[in-house]
Amino acid sequence: MTISIDPQKTNNESLQPKGWLRYFSFSLDHKVIGIQYLVCGFLFYLIGGTLASAIRIELASPMSDFMPRDVYNQVLTLHGTIMIFLWIVPVVNGAFGNYLIPFYVGARDMAFPRLNAVAFWLIPPSGLMLVASYFVEGAAQAGWTAYPPLSITTPQSGQIIWIMSVLLLGGSSIFGGINFIATIIKLRRPGLKLMRLPMYCWAMLGTSLLVVLSTPVLAGTLILLSFDIIANTGFFNPVLGGNVVVYQHLFWFYSHPAVYIMVLPAFGLVSEILPVHARKPLFGYTTMVFSIMGIVVLGLVVWAHHMFTSGTPPWMRLFFTIATAFIAVPTGIKFFNWVATLWGGKISINSAMLFSCGFIINFVFGGITGVALAQVPFDIHVHDTYFVVAHFHYIVYGGTVFIIFSSIYHWFPKVTGKMLNEKLGILHFAITFIGFNLCFAPQHWLGLNGMPRRVAEYDPQFQFVNQISSLGALLMAISTIPFLINVFLSVRNGKDAGDNPWNALTPEWLTSSPPPVENWEGEAPLVEEPYGYGKEISERK
Amino acid sequence: MTTLDSSKEIQKNNSEVNETHEDFRMFGLITFLIADGMTFAGFFAAYLTYKAVNPLPDGAIYELELPIPTFNTILLLVSSATFHKAGKALLKDKNSESQKWLFFTAFLGIIFLICQLFEYFHLPFGLTDNLFASTFYALTGFHGLHVTLGTLMILIITWQSRIKGGRLTSQNMFPLEAVELYWHFVDGIWVILFIILYLL
């Protein structure tokens, strides 16, 4: 059976507002939805960043003098939740996935355009609900993990709003995942072989598998948790015979893969950006594909390494230590492939390239501390200290957020038809990179010396290093300013980009910028070698 | 299931963008059911862990009565068969026969829910009595929610096939096939649930 696809009909183009207004309306166009994801995510990034600044102001002095302790806990919880569920996951998956995947598979839209729109429009209301809970009756304050019994005993209306919000966001990401799997597997244009797909498609396929397999478990867990809060059942309440470790197992069965849900798309994006700006083919395409799938499989079986101090039996610790250490193998393969891609390339130093290289550097630090944390004795020593905070910020900010910015610099010409200002871009990179490392590198030292995380007050001996860290956070906050100025100026009167300013070979550059509603005039181009740089056109297959 | 047809048909009218492609709504539904199955898997894992790690004190162990759930298992297995009959009949354009089978399936679903409620009212424990009671109601309740949704969807497609020129015909089997797959899925989950919860 076949269904007919008529973009003019499915998009109701005549009913859609023209110009920039269409980005604020209900649209079924995958490009519009992608931009909606990005802008919405960025607004939440600003909120989450403001909360992060508040945390660092509080921690600039040992006493809790900037805000009361329970407010600190709420700010901490909101910061974590917003950054993960409303900024990184929607942007690296939803925004870039929706914009790029249909181009990469040679389609005119995603497999299920309406489901796609639904997935996006779940995000703003649930995010606003989460933020509003702070002003209504006290936000959730049990951290982004919402561990019981803390989440059951703290004020409850905020926690319930938190659960509802995360459930809606989980639904949004499952719908997105189903859509990506169907688009990549089923909607490829005829003649496009799987092993010729751009790397980002593979990364999104792996990510979507993780989303589909693990997010529902989180949903089920949160439903049980809300029963504990509302109906006074005892699933996770030790007083009523429940078991808090079961919550941790179920929670980390989602939330460990969530790390890869954030990082795998970033791996895919950097694999798209590096070859273009180094003018070299991506090194080791096949190993890259298999390492992604290896990370997917291993990512699903390592969750308990978050729970080495939760009374896990020794055999379990051994298994999860070994499995976690093994993830370093596929990740290392990817890292060396990126370095080999750069090796001997004709590298152009621009903002996109700088952010990508910054990603590689930061990610190595985050990865090495990750292998260290997988070892049980070390983990027990630094558990719940600032070492862990430093480690995962190196992964999620130094890794993922750097790639989000890199991708914005790389694809901005395609989306708007204008170039971003390179000088402001390099300034943005310099402040972000220095600020980021100034903020989080000292936290390794803090953690090794025993400063606990998630508390507003600390021993005065840590004050000086904390102040350096807060100075770095200030720089990171400032770094947003040149970026925003850059975007606003460039949209208004940036240099015209032309269709293909980077001379890239992937299919999205083979159409006009910005692309037409149907993505291509006429038939979609078949790209035989998306990474065939450095060859004459006649040499390409 | 004719929809999982692997043949790719791409047609193009000269310059106008008007393409047809393979129908992969069933593919999307299967992906969704895998996700839904993972929710149940999480619940089952939690239940089995509680059973292994948190044994209840002697006085708090309840013997579950088997007759009603066994009857319910048979009901659901029969309803899977009647649903299959409905699909066969629709394929041969016997609309009224198909509607009868569909209606009978929905009827079996409703009987299942009534039996489940009857069981709930006659159990000696309530939702918050102890951990076993809570997990029991969470698992069967979540499954009952699925049966409720399935029954509603069956009634909706029965209604659709009654409309002349409506959306459910032998040319457009998708609504029936989708609900059928969902119904088989819910039945399968019930069998696992029955074994784990009542027999183990």
Side-chain angles (χ1 to χ4, degrees), chain B residues 63-124:
Chain B
E63 281 296 318
L64 288 167
E65 298 285 336
L66 274 178
I68 296 177
T70 314
F71 177 65
N72 267 349
T73 312
I74 297 166
L75 271 187
L76 281 191
L77 291 177
V78 171
S79 74
S80 265
T82 55
F83 209 137
H84 190 69
K85 280 287 214 184
K88 288 266 181 191
L90 188 67
L91 205 60
K92 290 177 195 154
D93 276 319
K94 293 177 185 163
N95 271 28
S96 58
E97 194 191 328
S98 152
Q99 282 156 23
K100 270 176 210 154
W101 283 117
L102 278 178
F103 206 76
F104 187 54
T105 314
F107 177 72
L108 290 175
I110 292 167
I111 298 284
F112 173 90
L113 289 170
I114 291 170
C115 287
Q116 198 170 36
L117 281 179
F118 182 79
E119 188 193 9
Y120 280 4
F121 283 120
H122 287 80
L123 282 173

Side-chain angles (χ1 to χ4, degrees), chain A residues 349-379:
Chain A
I349 304 293
N350 53 32
S351 325
M353 191 65 177
L354 283 172
F355 268 105
S356 283
C357 292
F359 156 85
I360 294 177
I361 294 165
N362 296 330
F363 198 82
V364 168
F365 278 107
I368 288 172
T369 50
V371 176
L373 281 170
Q375 312 308 317
V376 179
F378 186 76
D379 179 75

Side-chain angles (χ1 to χ4, degrees), chain A residues 3 5 108 213 216 231 235 241, chain B residues 19 21 35 38-39 50 54 128 131:
Chain A
I3 359 178
I5 299 249
R108 304 208 185 269
L213 290 176
F235 297 111
Chain B
E19 298 176 4
H21 63 65
M38 285 306 287
T39 321
Y50 288 140
N54 289 31
T128 56
L131 192 57

